[in-house]
Amino acid sequence: MKKVTQTAETPLGNLPLTNGNKVALVLGSGGARGYAHIGVIEALEARGFEIISIAGCSMGALVAGIYAAGKLPEYRDWVCHLDYLDVLKLVDVTWSPMGAMRANKVMSKLEELVGDRLIEDLPIPVTTVATDLIRQREVWFQNGPLLQAIRASIAVPGVITPVHVGDQVLVDGGLLNPLPMMPILAAHEADFVVAVNVTAHSPQPISLEELLPNEDGNDSRTALERDRDANIGGWMDDVRATTRRLWDGLGGSSGEEGDEVDETIDFRGKREWGKLDMILESFDITQAALAKYKVAGYPPDVLIEIPKTVCSAYEFHRANDLIRLGRHLADEALERRMPGIASDAAE
């Protein structure tokens, strides 16, 4: 087994792939689009690849930790049964000036799944990435409590309250490093590196339904799923109303003309923009640009890109389709890079 390293003379993406099956996996940040990471893992395992190390940021850190703990099937089953009302019930609003939500309900569910695990005790080496606001630098979690590492990595600034560890104030790793290539390249051996960027830029906005394969050219969603997606606007109205009340209580709105909610048009149709939308969309744009630089500086052997326009970062009720999309795009990327290596469960 050769050591995968990055040098100025030999970009990682130009290394010839060996016959080995050991994969170092990098899972990027991107909110709900991170469900696609589950599909990527399924595609790799269906081809007989062994994931020997994994690094993740934000939602990528969550999936990485759950997978390394051996609880990904249970997590998958849970999220695939969440509808938009279930997701709304998981939103635990707080009056803290450091964030609008605590994420306690989600973390309680994760604790049910994995228990009190230490990263160093996991069978697969895991690195999760957070950002220290005080020192303005990345923090890599490679030991210590797994759930604390995940919670720090998902703390979107202004949305989910930060984690305090000593004199550190830790927030989402996507603020500095949404696609953490370096932990994989610096610390682990593998036959090749696979990176999953779920904030990829696309020349034209593209929807989730447009990317998903339909064997007969028909909508693959059930009647319940179509009704659910048709009512996503109502769910977001509830979220926005709750968020507005929160911001008003914190003095976030003065009632002046400049504070009125604006309306604009995006590719999904007429959209009302609130403060939560502005924070998440701005964060998305920043992460997309940073991920592009990471890929250019440390090109992986296989890059799987999920366009950031397929859904919003907070559409956590769409796990089924996003997992399918991740597997589909992983299948395509692996086939391009390694023709002839077929999945044992290819559709």
Side-chain angles (χ1 to χ4, degrees), residues 3 10 41 90-91 101 129 177 183 192 213 216 268 297 302 310 325 340:
K3 185 175 182 180
T10 309
I41 290 172
L90 291 171
V91 177
M101 305 169 192
V129 178
N177 191 357
F192 61 100
D216 300 321
R268 290 180 291 271
V302 178
V310 297
L325 179 64

Side-chain angles (χ1 to χ4, degrees), residues 2-24:
K2 68 180 178 62
K3 185 175 182 180
V4 178
T5 58
Q6 169 73 27
T7 68
E9 293 78 17
T10 309
L12 184 59
N14 293 334
L15 288 173
L17 293 184
T18 70
N19 294 325
N21 70 338
K22 298 186 185 300
V23 175

Side-chain angles (χ1 to χ4, degrees), residues 32-43:
R33 292 184 299 271
Y35 284 143
H37 295 318
I38 300 172
V40 172
I41 290 172
E42 291 176 350

Side-chain angles (χ1 to χ4, degrees), residues 34-328:
Y35 284 143
H37 295 318
I38 300 172
V40 172
I41 290 172
E42 291 176 350
L44 289 168
E45 291 188 332
R47 286 169 168 75
F49 293 121
E50 178 189 1
I51 299 171
I52 65 165
S53 61
I54 187 166
C57 179
S58 197
M59 190 64 177
L62 190 156
V63 173
I66 297 297
Y67 173 72
K71 296 297 182 179
L72 192 60
E74 292 86 348
Y75 177 76
R76 186 193 199 281
D77 181 67
W78 175 56
V79 298
C80 285
H81 285 88
L82 294 175
D83 62 23
Y84 63 91
L85 290 177
D86 294 324
V87 174
L88 186 60
K89 291 175 184 176
L90 291 171
V91 177
D92 48 356
V93 174
T94 176
W95 295 101
S96 168
M98 302 190 75
M101 305 169 192
R102 292 184 296 263
N104 286 351
K105 295 179 181 179
V106 172
M107 295 308 298
S108 293
K109 180 62 180 182
L110 297 185
E111 186 174 11
E112 287 180 23
L113 290 176
V114 305
D116 187 18
R117 302 286 295 273
L118 297 176
I119 297 174
E120 59 266 33
D121 293 338
L122 298 173
I124 301 172
V126 171
T127 302
T128 73
V129 178
T131 302
D132 181 3
L133 289 180
I134 302 299
R135 293 176 176 81
Q136 302 176 33
R137 67 184 184 187
E138 295 176 35
V139 176
W140 295 2
F141 285 89
Q142 296 176 323
N143 52 61
L146 173 62
L147 292 180
Q148 183 186 63
I150 291 173
R151 177 61 178 81
S153 192
I154 67 171
V156 180
V159 179
I160 298 177
T161 54
V163 171
H164 297 263
V165 178
D167 61 352
Q168 296 177 318
V169 178
L170 302 176
V171 296
D172 197 311
L175 192 62
L176 289 177
N177 191 357
L179 196 63
M181 302 293 299
M182 281 304 296
I184 289 294
L185 303 182
H188 303 297
E189 292 185 345
D191 294 305
F192 61 100
V193 173
V194 175
V196 189
N197 176 17
V198 293
T199 58
H201 174 74
S202 57
Q204 295 294 329
I206 186 168
S207 70
L208 180 55
E209 290 72 27
E210 289 173 310
L211 279 179
L212 279 174
N214 292 322
E215 292 181 356
D216 300 321
N218 298 318
D219 191 337
S220 64
R221 294 174 295 172
T222 66
L224 179 61
E225 288 171 335
R226 286 193 295 270
D227 181 65
R228 175 202 66 191
D229 292 342
N231 285 285
I232 181 64
W235 173 67
M236 283 312 304
D237 286 344
D238 291 339
V239 172
R240 275 193 286 265
T242 301
T243 306
R244 283 197 204 102
R245 288 195 296 271
L246 170 66
W247 282 107
D248 290 344
L250 296 176
S253 175
S254 64
E256 297 177 359
E257 183 178 354
D259 288 322
E260 293 297 319
V261 175
D262 191 15
E263 291 187 11
T264 188
I265 302 292
D266 72 354
F267 77 95
R268 290 180 291 271
K270 192 173 183 179
R271 177 176 180 180
E272 185 182 87
W273 287 76
K275 291 184 175 68
L276 178 61
D277 299 286
M278 293 298 295
I279 291 173
L280 291 175
E281 290 290 341
S282 299
F283 195 51
D284 250 2
I285 293 170
T286 301
Q287 290 182 102
L290 287 172
K292 188 174 181 180
Y293 287 124
K294 294 295 181 181
V295 169
Y298 306 99
D301 294 295
V302 178
L303 175 63
I304 299 160
E305 295 196 295
I306 313 296
K308 74 182 188 68
T309 59
V310 297
C311 75
S312 298
Y314 41 65
E315 292 185 52
F316 287 98
H317 68 295
R318 307 190 72 181
N320 280 292
D321 285 343
L322 287 161
I323 292 169
R324 286 182 57 221
L325 179 64
R327 178 153 187 166
H328 171 62

